[in-house]
Amino acid sequence: MTKIKDIELGEFPLLLAPMEDVSDPPFRAVCKAGGADLMYTEFVSSEGLIRDAFKSRQKLDIFEYERPIGIQLFGSDIETMAECARITSAVSPDLIDINYGCPVKQVACRGAGAALLQDIPKMVKMTEAVVKATHLPVTVKTRLGWDDSTRNVEEVAERLQDIGIEALTIHGRTRVQMYKGDADWNLIGKIKDNPRIRIPIFGNGDIDSPEKALEYKNRYGVDGIMIGRASIGYPWIFNEIKHFLKTGEKLEAPTIADRVDVCRKHVEFSVRWKGERLGIVEMRRHYASYFKGIDGAKAFRNRLVQVPTLSEVEEILQEIAATYDAVPA
């Protein structure tokens, strides 16, 4: 049984990655239904939360059916991060995660996210401040290092464990790599094999099939896997991996009707949570993924990203279902 402090996650948990502009409550809902064992919110700006910015506050919205759920924070100021941990604790997530892995310029070039990989002493102080500011378990997500000459995640793992984090997720790329090239899990496996490490180690990067999940589980010995981009438009991946790990057999691929049904639930939740205008606009980034690889679907996708109302979206989805009539994807 893999546990984060007292949170039981099962034998080999599958985690939904915190993804900006993706991992909102509507997306998390379909991933929970698809089998995700632990989910994280979009990452929340500590500076925005202190300013009481609406977008940052809204990211603290969590629902009982999502549990266990973690809220992820990022920032560059130690005291601000500690204060945000106190604010976040008040909404009662199951844990708080610190983002030391985001590579994008808007985050890293402001001294947050993966930038802290260039200043391990500050990372340690910030983490310790967050741990002391909350009664909740604190976890961390990070990368191998800033670049290939500074792959310092082994030091990070030991030092952050020593000051109280309860789990560590490692993305198998450096910050300089961004999302290019193949994820390197060798250091992740080495950290898991380190006799000093007693907290769960989760691997992240490039897991996009049940076969690869099983291969990496066996090869690197991690306690679980975090899945990000492969779940966008395909929340079935969690249950597909679970079934394959348990039986060695692959589940049937979702039919077009399945895709339409889950996409409809996603967009309806998006509209309920954000209002029709914003809910429709922000769903547009998902349609290509829901209907990826389906012959002739491009014309439908082009229409979906242009219509402004929920009723029009649902009409097009009904048309897709009728056109393909449950043909396997």
Side-chain angles (χ1 to χ4, degrees):
M1 174 70 69
T2 298
K3 297 173 68 176
I4 296 178
K5 201 170 183 180
D6 296 325
I7 304 169
E8 296 185 354
L9 298 175
E11 292 298 324
F12 190 76
L14 303 178
L15 287 61
L16 173 65
M19 294 178 282
E20 180 68 356
D21 295 327
V22 175
S23 301
D24 58 12
F27 180 73
R28 297 198 305 266
V30 297
C31 287
K32 185 70 173 182
D37 295 301
L38 171 63
M39 304 189 296
Y40 292 89
T41 64
E42 300 173 82
F43 39 91
V44 179
S45 164
S46 57
E47 288 80 7
L49 201 53
I50 291 294
R51 294 196 311 269
D52 205 28
F54 174 75
K55 187 172 183 180
S56 294
R57 282 281 178 177
Q58 190 181 38
K59 289 178 182 178
L60 299 184
D61 287 355
I62 56 175
F63 300 87
E64 283 301 312
Y65 67 81
E66 297 186 284
R67 297 189 185 278
I69 179 82
I71 292 177
Q72 190 186 70
L73 304 176
F74 76 94
S76 59
D77 181 77
I78 293 172
E79 289 304 316
T80 300
M81 283 288 285
E83 179 59 25
C84 284
R86 287 186 280 269
I87 294 170
T88 301
S89 299
V91 303
S92 299
D94 295 283
L95 57 87
I96 291 175
D97 189 74
I98 307 174
N99 181 328
Y100 293 138
C102 182
V104 300
K105 289 182 179 179
Q106 298 96 313
V107 174
C109 292
R110 294 180 180 177
L116 274 300
L117 287 164
Q118 299 178 100
D119 190 346
I120 303 306
K122 182 178 179 180
M123 178 192 286
V124 171
K125 289 179 182 178
M126 180 178 289
T127 306
E128 186 172 26
V130 171
V131 169
K132 289 180 176 179
T134 181
H135 65 284
L136 298 170
V138 175
T139 63
V140 163
K141 184 170 189 279
T142 189
R143 287 183 169 235
L144 302 180
W146 181 260
D147 56 28
D148 282 337
S149 65
T150 57
R151 291 189 168 208
N152 49 14
V153 71
E154 291 178 90
E155 176 188 356
V156 166
E158 291 188 358
R159 294 185 67 177
L160 296 191
Q161 176 185 261
D162 290 347
I163 52 93
I165 71 165
E166 300 288 350
L168 177 66
T169 300
I170 305 167
H171 182 96
R173 291 181 174 87
T174 64
R175 186 272 168 178
V176 168
Q177 281 183 274
M178 300 294 284
Y179 296 98
K180 298 177 182 177
D182 295 328
D184 179 1
W185 283 52
N186 289 307
L187 264 182
I188 302 174
K190 189 175 180 182
I191 290 167
K192 180 58 191 172
D193 290 339
N194 182 344
R196 277 205 62 211
I197 297 297
R198 60 186 182 276
I199 59 174
I201 301 297
F202 302 117
N204 174 231
D206 294 353
I207 300 299
D208 57 6
S209 70
E211 294 89 345
K212 186 175 283 189
L214 177 60
E215 177 190 351
Y216 280 36
K217 174 182 182 289
N218 292 339
R219 183 186 299 179
Y220 301 106
V222 291
D223 296 289
I225 289 173
M226 178 176 281
I227 298 170
R229 289 175 291 171
S231 65
I232 300 174
Y234 203 85
W236 300 271
I237 191 169
F238 300 100
N239 278 331
E240 287 183 356
I241 290 173
K242 288 181 176 180
H243 185 79
F244 190 76
L245 294 181
K246 184 177 181 179
T247 68
E249 299 176 352
K250 296 190 69 172
L251 286 173
E252 291 281 335
T255 64
I256 305 301
D258 294 330
R259 291 173 181 260
V260 167
D261 181 59
V262 172
C263 184
R264 180 186 293 112
K265 290 175 180 176
H266 191 168
V267 69
E268 287 175 350
F269 193 158
S270 184
V271 167
R272 286 198 309 273
W273 190 57
K274 303 174 186 178
E276 185 167 56
R277 187 191 65 80
L278 186 60
I280 293 296
V281 168
E282 294 197 352
M283 264 301 296
R284 290 173 179 171
R285 63 174 65 96
H286 293 278
Y287 296 132
S289 298
Y290 271 115
F291 302 110
K292 181 179 179 180
I294 299 171
D295 288 342
K298 183 178 180 180
F300 288 115
R301 294 198 302 268
N302 288 343
R303 290 168 57 196
L304 283 168
V305 299
Q306 294 178 43
V307 295
T309 67
L310 178 60
S311 60
E312 289 171 294
V313 169
E314 292 186 327
E315 285 178 9
I316 297 170
L317 291 176
Q318 290 172 4
E319 190 177 342
I320 293 172
T323 299
Y324 292 93
D325 194 22
V327 174

